[in-house]
């Protein structure tokens, strides 16, 4: 169990490091600007309202942050998969002929996991009635905001683990 937790921690730390390196090294700001240029103000308002569930004060900045994060993730996941595939090649002596196949499947699997986890987080964020726990919806203290996000993250982890266990159980029968 401890080895699994350590492995997960190392993978998450590696992913964060890869995302930071990609953000610094890869110039994709022009791509983000060209994508956000496709939206007018009303569509930007609708898009950010759909994600947040409420009107956004600065929809252009939020839209740029969303697309920045999406493009960074779409670049970082294949890079991380390549690093892990190379590591597996060196340590586990994986055959060179199967490296491309392993890299492609690990990239697709990681993308599916990230987007499934993000989708579950977003659904819980949008659907659960957290406002009943907070007395004043306009002003959140730092502690209550951290508690809100922490609770949502724990619920997301629990739901994700439950779903993956059910999928694994169904597939093994």
């Amino acid at each position: 169990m401890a080895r699994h937790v350590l492995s997960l921690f190392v993978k998450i730390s590696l992913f964060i490091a890869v995302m930071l390196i990609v953000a610094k090294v890869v110039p994709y700001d022009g791509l983000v600007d060209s994508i956000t240029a496709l939206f007018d103000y009303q569509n930007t308002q609708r898009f950010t309202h759909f994600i947040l569930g409420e009107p956004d004060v600065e929809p252009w900045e939020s839209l740029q942050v969303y697309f920045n994060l999406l493009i960074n993730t779409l670049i970082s996941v294949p890079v991380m998969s390549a690093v892990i595939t190379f590591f597996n090649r060196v340590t586990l002596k994986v055959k060179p002929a199967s490296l491309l196949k392993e890299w492609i499947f690990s990239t697709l699997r990681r993308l599916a996991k990230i987007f499934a986890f993000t989708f579950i987080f977003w659904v819980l964020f949008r659907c659960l009635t957290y406002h009943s726990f907070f007395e004043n919806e306009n002003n959140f203290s730092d502690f209550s905001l951290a508690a809100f996000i922490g609770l949502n993250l724990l619920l997301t982890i629990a739901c994700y683990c439950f779903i993956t266990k059910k999928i694994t159980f169904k597939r093994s029968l």
Side-chain angles (χ1 to χ4, degrees), residues 7-173:
S7 173
L8 183 62
F9 178 74
V10 167
K11 286 180 182 178
I12 290 171
S13 300
L14 176 65
F15 186 64
I16 290 170
V18 167
M19 284 189 79
L20 290 172
I21 291 169
V22 165
K24 284 287 187 190
V25 173
V26 178
Y28 55 85
D29 291 334
L31 179 61
V32 172
D33 292 339
S34 65
I35 291 172
T36 55
L38 299 173
F39 289 84
D40 62 354
Y41 186 76
Q42 188 176 20
N43 287 335
T44 304
Q45 281 279 34
R46 271 191 253 147
F47 188 80
T48 56
H49 183 8
F50 176 73
I51 291 174
L52 292 175
E54 59 187 36
D56 194 0
V57 179
E58 297 290 336
W60 289 109
E61 286 78 16
S62 297
L63 189 69
Q64 284 188 324
V65 168
Y66 298 151
F67 282 117
N68 225 337
L69 187 61
L70 178 67
I71 292 170
N72 189 317
T73 303
L74 290 175
I75 295 171
S76 298
V77 169
V79 170
M80 183 177 147
S81 292
V83 168
I84 291 176
T85 302
F86 176 75
F87 180 74
N88 288 343
R89 166 69 176 117
V90 171
T91 58
L92 302 176
K93 307 293 187 217
V94 177
K95 297 176 187 173
S98 65
L99 284 178
L100 181 63
K101 180 180 174 184
E102 182 181 337
W103 175 73
I104 291 171
F105 285 128
S106 68
T107 299
L108 293 175
R109 191 173 51 250
R110 283 186 180 91
L111 282 171
K113 287 178 180 180
I114 286 172
F115 288 117
F117 192 84
T118 304
F119 180 74
I120 293 169
F121 185 87
W122 175 75
V123 166
L124 290 174
F125 182 76
R126 290 286 311 269
C127 295
L128 293 179
T129 57
Y130 290 109
H131 63 275
S132 62
F133 296 112
F134 300 111
E135 62 279 350
N136 187 1
E137 291 184 23
N138 295 332
N139 294 331
F140 293 119
S141 68
D142 292 339
F143 177 75
S144 63
L145 190 60
F148 168 70
I149 291 174
L151 177 65
N152 197 17
L153 190 59
L154 287 174
L155 288 172
T156 303
I157 292 169
C159 290
Y160 180 79
C161 289
F162 177 75
I163 290 169
T164 55
K165 292 288 182 197
K166 285 294 184 185
I167 289 172
T168 306
F169 178 74
K170 294 278 187 191
R171 194 172 61 190
S172 66
L173 289 179

